[in-house]
Amino acid sequence: MVELESQEATTMKVASAKHITATVALRVGAAATSLAAAVLVVTNRQQRWGIEVNFTMFDVWVAFVATNFFCTAYSLLTAVFVKKLIGKGWLHPVDQLVVNLQTAATAGAGAIGSVAMWGNDASGWYAVCRLYRRYCNVGAVALALSFAAFLCLGAACTLSRYPRTPARH
């Protein structure tokens, strides 16, 4: 097996305090925005003409909530233990997996939100956001927060690409 220069233990750079601080900040930012997105969707409901709309009516929103709660937990755990994880070779591939999960959940919910907002004449789907405007507006904010979590996780994933050794004190 051929090792890349960046993976050799003898050439690994020491993780600076700025590197660790940036990694922790990005992971905490991802956790905060993921949690906010999930809580917004779970608490979002609107009733009109005796019909209540909430996230459990749509499987994509259930998956969105589950994924955002998972990303919250993952981001917090990796932020807490970042000094121990910083030199681990498996951190970057797992970060990539979590970024992709976050992206898929956001894209899926965004696609359904788009149909709800504007409808789809070709398939005969009505734009329900005309009736449930507040529900849709909260969903749009949750999507924006989830996208922010994706950006934070993506940046943290980039930082985890090059293994570094923890600073020795």
Side-chain angles (χ1 to χ4, degrees):
M1 185 165 129
V2 176
E3 289 190 14
L4 298 175
E5 184 178 323
S6 65
Q7 294 175 330
E8 293 176 14
T10 58
T11 62
M12 289 173 113
K13 293 182 181 179
V14 174
S16 68
K18 287 182 181 180
H19 180 87
I20 292 172
T21 302
T23 300
V24 169
L26 287 167
R27 291 174 188 281
V28 169
T33 53
S34 288
L35 180 62
V39 169
L40 272 178
V41 172
V42 168
T43 59
N44 188 18
R45 54 183 41 85
Q46 184 178 356
Q47 186 169 351
R48 187 166 182 172
W49 299 315
I51 300 171
E52 182 181 78
V53 177
N54 63 44
F55 84 102
T56 60
M57 296 176 72
F58 311 98
D59 288 338
V60 70
W61 284 111
V62 173
F64 177 87
V65 167
T67 302
N68 275 283
F69 278 136
F70 171 76
C71 288
T72 299
Y74 175 80
S75 297
L76 282 178
L77 282 172
T78 55
V80 168
F81 297 110
V82 74
K83 284 188 177 182
K84 292 182 181 188
L85 298 175
I86 202 114
K88 304 296 182 195
W90 57 264
L91 182 61
H92 182 68
V94 176
D95 278 351
Q96 285 180 315
L97 175 67
V98 175
V99 168
N100 286 328
L101 286 172
Q102 183 71 21
T103 304
T106 305
I112 296 303
S114 173
V115 172
M117 188 68 80
W118 294 287
N120 186 325
D121 292 335
S123 60
W125 291 341
Y126 181 71
V128 296
C129 285
R130 294 178 188 154
L131 301 173
Y132 296 97
R133 174 64 56 199
R134 187 176 46 81
Y135 180 82
C136 290
N137 289 344
V138 171
V141 171
L143 283 170
L145 286 167
S146 186
F147 186 72
F150 152 72
L151 292 175
C152 288
L153 282 169
C157 179
T158 302
L159 288 178
S160 72
R161 168 59 186 98
Y162 298 100
R164 297 174 181 263
T165 58
R168 303 191 199 293
H169 293 96

PDB file of all heavy atoms in Angstrom, residues 1 10 16 24-25 47 52-54 56 61 71 80 89 94-95 104-105 114 117 127 138-139 142 145 150 156 161:
ATOM      1  N   MET A   1       0.834  -1.165   0.000  1.00  0.00           N
ATOM      2  CA  MET A   1       0.000   0.000   0.000  1.00  0.00           C
ATOM      3  C   MET A   1       0.884   1.236   0.000  1.00  0.00           C
ATOM      4  O   MET A   1       1.821   1.345   0.769  1.00  0.00           O
ATOM      5  CB  MET A   1      -0.899  -0.006   1.232  1.00  0.00           C
ATOM      6  CG  MET A   1      -1.877   1.101   1.245  1.00  0.00           C
ATOM      7  SD  MET A   1      -3.133   0.731   2.462  1.00  0.00           S
ATOM      8  CE  MET A   1      -3.109   2.226   3.372  1.00  0.00           C
ATOM      9  N   THR A  10       5.502  10.835  10.010  1.00  0.00           N
ATOM     10  CA  THR A  10       6.656  11.701  10.239  1.00  0.00           C
ATOM     11  C   THR A  10       6.488  13.077   9.623  1.00  0.00           C
ATOM     12  O   THR A  10       7.146  14.018  10.033  1.00  0.00           O
ATOM     13  CB  THR A  10       7.940  11.048   9.669  1.00  0.00           C
ATOM     14  OG1 THR A  10       7.738  10.807   8.279  1.00  0.00           O
ATOM     15  CG2 THR A  10       8.263   9.771  10.408  1.00  0.00           C
ATOM     16  N   SER A  16      -2.459  23.445  15.038  1.00  0.00           N
ATOM     17  CA  SER A  16      -2.312  24.708  15.768  1.00  0.00           C
ATOM     18  C   SER A  16      -3.572  24.978  16.589  1.00  0.00           C
ATOM     19  O   SER A  16      -4.621  24.379  16.372  1.00  0.00           O
ATOM     20  CB  SER A  16      -2.076  25.851  14.786  1.00  0.00           C
ATOM     21  OG  SER A  16      -3.246  26.074  14.014  1.00  0.00           O
ATOM     22  N   VAL A  24     -13.590  23.311  16.062  1.00  0.00           N
ATOM     23  CA  VAL A  24     -14.622  23.272  17.108  1.00  0.00           C
ATOM     24  C   VAL A  24     -15.741  24.262  16.775  1.00  0.00           C
ATOM     25  O   VAL A  24     -16.923  23.930  16.882  1.00  0.00           O
ATOM     26  CB  VAL A  24     -14.006  23.568  18.498  1.00  0.00           C
ATOM     27  CG1 VAL A  24     -15.088  23.790  19.532  1.00  0.00           C
ATOM     28  CG2 VAL A  24     -13.093  22.438  18.925  1.00  0.00           C
ATOM     29  N   ALA A  25     -15.382  25.473  16.361  1.00  0.00           N
ATOM     30  CA  ALA A  25     -16.397  26.484  16.045  1.00  0.00           C
ATOM     31  C   ALA A  25     -17.306  26.033  14.904  1.00  0.00           C
ATOM     32  O   ALA A  25     -18.533  26.211  14.977  1.00  0.00           O
ATOM     33  CB  ALA A  25     -15.715  27.804  15.691  1.00  0.00           C
ATOM     34  N   GLN A  47     -53.228  25.191  11.336  1.00  0.00           N
ATOM     35  CA  GLN A  47     -54.550  24.615  11.132  1.00  0.00           C
ATOM     36  C   GLN A  47     -55.383  25.593  10.320  1.00  0.00           C
ATOM     37  O   GLN A  47     -55.370  26.806  10.557  1.00  0.00           O
ATOM     38  CB  GLN A  47     -55.227  24.334  12.466  1.00  0.00           C
ATOM     39  CG  GLN A  47     -56.530  23.595  12.304  1.00  0.00           C
ATOM     40  CD  GLN A  47     -57.054  23.080  13.629  1.00  0.00           C
ATOM     41  OE1 GLN A  47     -56.379  23.132  14.631  1.00  0.00           O
ATOM     42  NE2 GLN A  47     -58.269  22.585  13.610  1.00  0.00           N
ATOM     43  N   GLU A  52     -55.171  20.212  10.225  1.00  0.00           N
ATOM     44  CA  GLU A  52     -53.881  20.629  10.769  1.00  0.00           C
ATOM     45  C   GLU A  52     -52.753  20.006   9.948  1.00  0.00           C
ATOM     46  O   GLU A  52     -52.769  18.814   9.647  1.00  0.00           O
ATOM     47  CB  GLU A  52     -53.722  20.201  12.232  1.00  0.00           C
ATOM     48  CG  GLU A  52     -52.404  20.675  12.810  1.00  0.00           C
ATOM     49  CD  GLU A  52     -52.188  20.251  14.237  1.00  0.00           C
ATOM     50  OE1 GLU A  52     -51.828  19.085  14.453  1.00  0.00           O
ATOM     51  OE2 GLU A  52     -52.382  21.100  15.115  1.00  0.00           O
ATOM     52  N   VAL A  53     -51.790  20.837   9.597  1.00  0.00           N
ATOM     53  CA  VAL A  53     -50.621  20.376   8.853  1.00  0.00           C
ATOM     54  C   VAL A  53     -49.437  20.374   9.801  1.00  0.00           C
ATOM     55  O   VAL A  53     -49.200  21.358  10.515  1.00  0.00           O
ATOM     56  CB  VAL A  53     -50.332  21.313   7.649  1.00  0.00           C
ATOM     57  CG1 VAL A  53     -49.077  20.888   6.920  1.00  0.00           C
ATOM     58  CG2 VAL A  53     -51.514  21.353   6.713  1.00  0.00           C
ATOM     59  N   ASN A  54     -48.718  19.253   9.851  1.00  0.00           N
ATOM     60  CA  ASN A  54     -47.478  19.187  10.624  1.00  0.00           C
ATOM     61  C   ASN A  54     -46.483  18.284   9.895  1.00  0.00           C
ATOM     62  O   ASN A  54     -46.812  17.677   8.884  1.00  0.00           O
ATOM     63  CB  ASN A  54     -47.722  18.727  12.070  1.00  0.00           C
ATOM     64  CG  ASN A  54     -48.280  17.332  12.133  1.00  0.00           C
ATOM     65  OD1 ASN A  54     -47.827  16.431  11.437  1.00  0.00           O
ATOM     66  ND2 ASN A  54     -49.280  17.137  12.985  1.00  0.00           N
ATOM     67  N   THR A  56     -45.247  15.395  10.408  1.00  0.00           N
ATOM     68  CA  THR A  56     -45.453  13.941  10.329  1.00  0.00           C
ATOM     69  C   THR A  56     -46.290  13.526   9.114  1.00  0.00           C
ATOM     70  O   THR A  56     -46.342  12.344   8.786  1.00  0.00           O
ATOM     71  CB  THR A  56     -46.108  13.405  11.613  1.00  0.00           C
ATOM     72  OG1 THR A  56     -47.378  14.045  11.791  1.00  0.00           O
ATOM     73  CG2 THR A  56     -45.226  13.649  12.818  1.00  0.00           C
ATOM     74  N   TRP A  61     -40.044  15.229   5.526  1.00  0.00           N
ATOM     75  CA  TRP A  61     -39.788  16.093   6.692  1.00  0.00           C
ATOM     76  C   TRP A  61     -39.409  15.261   7.917  1.00  0.00           C
ATOM     77  O   TRP A  61     -38.626  15.698   8.752  1.00  0.00           O
ATOM     78  CB  TRP A  61     -40.995  16.984   6.992  1.00  0.00           C
ATOM     79  CG  TRP A  61     -41.118  18.141   6.043  1.00  0.00           C
ATOM     80  CD1 TRP A  61     -42.084  18.317   5.101  1.00  0.00           C
ATOM     81  CD2 TRP A  61     -40.233  19.264   5.928  1.00  0.00           C
ATOM     82  NE1 TRP A  61     -41.848  19.480   4.418  1.00  0.00           N
ATOM     83  CE2 TRP A  61     -40.732  20.087   4.906  1.00  0.00           C
ATOM     84  CE3 TRP A  61     -39.078  19.651   6.589  1.00  0.00           C
ATOM     85  CZ2 TRP A  61     -40.117  21.280   4.523  1.00  0.00           C
ATOM     86  CZ3 TRP A  61     -38.455  20.843   6.213  1.00  0.00           C
ATOM     87  CH2 TRP A  61     -38.969  21.642   5.197  1.00  0.00           C
ATOM     88  N   CYS A  71     -27.136  14.856  12.853  1.00  0.00           N
ATOM     89  CA  CYS A  71     -26.019  15.785  12.580  1.00  0.00           C
ATOM     90  C   CYS A  71     -25.699  16.638  13.802  1.00  0.00           C
ATOM     91  O   CYS A  71     -24.535  16.955  14.056  1.00  0.00           O
ATOM     92  CB  CYS A  71     -26.351  16.669  11.389  1.00  0.00           C
ATOM     93  SG  CYS A  71     -26.296  15.772   9.834  1.00  0.00           S
ATOM     94  N   VAL A  80     -16.554  18.080  20.905  1.00  0.00           N
ATOM     95  CA  VAL A  80     -16.076  17.845  22.272  1.00  0.00           C
ATOM     96  C   VAL A  80     -14.753  17.081  22.272  1.00  0.00           C
ATOM     97  O   VAL A  80     -13.844  17.393  23.038  1.00  0.00           O
ATOM     98  CB  VAL A  80     -17.145  17.087  23.096  1.00  0.00           C
ATOM     99  CG1 VAL A  80     -16.580  16.579  24.404  1.00  0.00           C
ATOM    100  CG2 VAL A  80     -18.341  17.988  23.345  1.00  0.00           C
ATOM    101  N   GLY A  89      -7.358   8.916  10.975  1.00  0.00           N
ATOM    102  CA  GLY A  89      -7.570   8.797   9.541  1.00  0.00           C
ATOM    103  C   GLY A  89      -9.020   8.584   9.144  1.00  0.00           C
ATOM    104  O   GLY A  89      -9.414   8.895   8.024  1.00  0.00           O
ATOM    105  N   VAL A  94     -15.820   9.833   7.551  1.00  0.00           N
ATOM    106  CA  VAL A  94     -17.083   9.912   8.305  1.00  0.00           C
ATOM    107  C   VAL A  94     -17.676  11.312   8.175  1.00  0.00           C
ATOM    108  O   VAL A  94     -18.893  11.469   8.024  1.00  0.00           O
ATOM    109  CB  VAL A  94     -16.870   9.504   9.779  1.00  0.00           C
ATOM    110  CG1 VAL A  94     -18.141   9.686  10.579  1.00  0.00           C
ATOM    111  CG2 VAL A  94     -16.396   8.059   9.859  1.00  0.00           C
ATOM    112  N   ASP A  95     -16.811  12.333   8.217  1.00  0.00           N
ATOM    113  CA  ASP A  95     -17.291  13.705   7.985  1.00  0.00           C
ATOM    114  C   ASP A  95     -17.962  13.814   6.616  1.00  0.00           C
ATOM    115  O   ASP A  95     -19.024  14.439   6.487  1.00  0.00           O
ATOM    116  CB  ASP A  95     -16.139  14.700   8.056  1.00  0.00           C
ATOM    117  CG  ASP A  95     -15.770  15.103   9.473  1.00  0.00           C
ATOM    118  OD1 ASP A  95     -16.509  14.744  10.419  1.00  0.00           O
ATOM    119  OD2 ASP A  95     -14.735  15.794   9.632  1.00  0.00           O
ATOM    120  N   ALA A 104     -28.421  15.564   1.464  1.00  0.00           N
ATOM    121  CA  ALA A 104     -29.557  14.813   0.929  1.00  0.00           C
ATOM    122  C   ALA A 104     -30.861  15.187   1.635  1.00  0.00           C
ATOM    123  O   ALA A 104     -31.897  15.364   0.981  1.00  0.00           O
ATOM    124  CB  ALA A 104     -29.297  13.319   1.054  1.00  0.00           C
ATOM    125  N   ALA A 105     -30.798  15.317   2.953  1.00  0.00           N
ATOM    126  CA  ALA A 105     -32.003  15.680   3.703  1.00  0.00           C
ATOM    127  C   ALA A 105     -32.480  17.081   3.327  1.00  0.00           C
ATOM    128  O   ALA A 105     -33.685  17.312   3.145  1.00  0.00           O
ATOM    129  CB  ALA A 105     -31.724  15.603   5.201  1.00  0.00           C
ATOM    130  N   SER A 114     -40.486  23.070  -2.613  1.00  0.00           N
ATOM    131  CA  SER A 114     -40.650  23.782  -3.880  1.00  0.00           C
ATOM    132  C   SER A 114     -41.986  23.442  -4.535  1.00  0.00           C
ATOM    133  O   SER A 114     -42.695  24.324  -5.033  1.00  0.00           O
ATOM    134  CB  SER A 114     -39.491  23.416  -4.815  1.00  0.00           C
ATOM    135  OG  SER A 114     -39.686  23.950  -6.089  1.00  0.00           O
ATOM    136  N   MET A 117     -44.663  25.102  -2.554  1.00  0.00           N
ATOM    137  CA  MET A 117     -44.684  26.554  -2.737  1.00  0.00           C
ATOM    138  C   MET A 117     -45.277  26.954  -4.096  1.00  0.00           C
ATOM    139  O   MET A 117     -46.118  27.836  -4.172  1.00  0.00           O
ATOM    140  CB  MET A 117     -43.261  27.101  -2.612  1.00  0.00           C
ATOM    141  CG  MET A 117     -43.172  28.615  -2.600  1.00  0.00           C
ATOM    142  SD  MET A 117     -43.854  29.393  -1.148  1.00  0.00           S
ATOM    143  CE  MET A 117     -42.534  29.168   0.005  1.00  0.00           C
ATOM    144  N   ALA A 127     -50.308  24.237  -5.415  1.00  0.00           N
ATOM    145  CA  ALA A 127     -49.395  24.957  -4.519  1.00  0.00           C
ATOM    146  C   ALA A 127     -50.099  25.189  -3.180  1.00  0.00           C
ATOM    147  O   ALA A 127     -50.842  26.150  -3.005  1.00  0.00           O
ATOM    148  CB  ALA A 127     -48.980  26.280  -5.145  1.00  0.00           C
ATOM    149  N   VAL A 138     -42.068  28.939   7.814  1.00  0.00           N
ATOM    150  CA  VAL A 138     -41.230  28.325   8.848  1.00  0.00           C
ATOM    151  C   VAL A 138     -40.391  27.199   8.235  1.00  0.00           C
ATOM    152  O   VAL A 138     -39.215  27.044   8.564  1.00  0.00           O
ATOM    153  CB  VAL A 138     -42.094  27.820  10.026  1.00  0.00           C
ATOM    154  CG1 VAL A 138     -41.269  26.995  11.002  1.00  0.00           C
ATOM    155  CG2 VAL A 138     -42.744  28.995  10.746  1.00  0.00           C
ATOM    156  N   GLY A 139     -40.981  26.441   7.331  1.00  0.00           N
ATOM    157  CA  GLY A 139     -40.232  25.395   6.641  1.00  0.00           C
ATOM    158  C   GLY A 139     -39.075  25.966   5.830  1.00  0.00           C
ATOM    159  O   GLY A 139     -37.988  25.385   5.782  1.00  0.00           O
ATOM    160  N   ALA A 142     -36.291  26.762   8.188  1.00  0.00           N
ATOM    161  CA  ALA A 142     -35.633  25.509   8.584  1.00  0.00           C
ATOM    162  C   ALA A 142     -34.696  25.013   7.483  1.00  0.00           C
ATOM    163  O   ALA A 142     -33.596  24.535   7.766  1.00  0.00           O
ATOM    164  CB  ALA A 142     -36.676  24.443   8.916  1.00  0.00           C
ATOM    165  N   LEU A 145     -31.552  27.132   7.609  1.00  0.00           N
ATOM    166  CA  LEU A 145     -30.702  26.722   8.735  1.00  0.00           C
ATOM    167  C   LEU A 145     -29.993  25.402   8.433  1.00  0.00           C
ATOM    168  O   LEU A 145     -28.813  25.230   8.754  1.00  0.00           O
ATOM    169  CB  LEU A 145     -31.539  26.589  10.011  1.00  0.00           C
ATOM    170  CG  LEU A 145     -31.981  27.905  10.642  1.00  0.00           C
ATOM    171  CD1 LEU A 145     -33.054  27.650  11.687  1.00  0.00           C
ATOM    172  CD2 LEU A 145     -30.794  28.636  11.236  1.00  0.00           C
ATOM    173  N   PHE A 150     -25.018  22.479   6.645  1.00  0.00           N
ATOM    174  CA  PHE A 150     -24.254  21.828   5.581  1.00  0.00           C
ATOM    175  C   PHE A 150     -22.962  22.586   5.307  1.00  0.00           C
ATOM    176  O   PHE A 150     -21.895  21.984   5.158  1.00  0.00           O
ATOM    177  CB  PHE A 150     -25.113  21.731   4.312  1.00  0.00           C
ATOM    178  CG  PHE A 150     -24.321  21.717   3.040  1.00  0.00           C
ATOM    179  CD1 PHE A 150     -23.587  20.610   2.677  1.00  0.00           C
ATOM    180  CD2 PHE A 150     -24.302  22.833   2.214  1.00  0.00           C
ATOM    181  CE1 PHE A 150     -22.845  20.604   1.496  1.00  0.00           C
ATOM    182  CE2 PHE A 150     -23.570  22.834   1.046  1.00  0.00           C
ATOM    183  CZ  PHE A 150     -22.837  21.720   0.684  1.00  0.00           C
ATOM    184  N   ALA A 156     -15.794  22.005   8.092  1.00  0.00           N
ATOM    185  CA  ALA A 156     -15.135  21.145   9.085  1.00  0.00           C
ATOM    186  C   ALA A 156     -14.565  19.898   8.414  1.00  0.00           C
ATOM    187  O   ALA A 156     -13.476  19.431   8.769  1.00  0.00           O
ATOM    188  CB  ALA A 156     -16.114  20.761  10.189  1.00  0.00           C
ATOM    189  N   ARG A 161      -9.480  16.911   6.384  1.00  0.00           N
ATOM    190  CA  ARG A 161      -8.891  16.191   5.254  1.00  0.00           C
ATOM    191  C   ARG A 161      -7.424  15.859   5.480  1.00  0.00           C
ATOM    192  O   ARG A 161      -6.963  14.787   5.144  1.00  0.00           O
ATOM    193  CB  ARG A 161      -9.044  17.010   3.972  1.00  0.00           C
ATOM    194  CG  ARG A 161      -8.240  16.536   2.774  1.00  0.00           C
ATOM    195  CD  ARG A 161      -8.601  15.115   2.389  1.00  0.00           C
ATOM    196  NE  ARG A 161      -7.741  14.615   1.346  1.00  0.00           N
ATOM    197  CZ  ARG A 161      -6.669  13.852   1.521  1.00  0.00           C
ATOM    198  NH1 ARG A 161      -6.285  13.511   2.724  1.00  0.00           N
ATOM    199  NH2 ARG A 161      -5.969  13.429   0.497  1.00  0.00           N
TER     200      ARG A 161
END
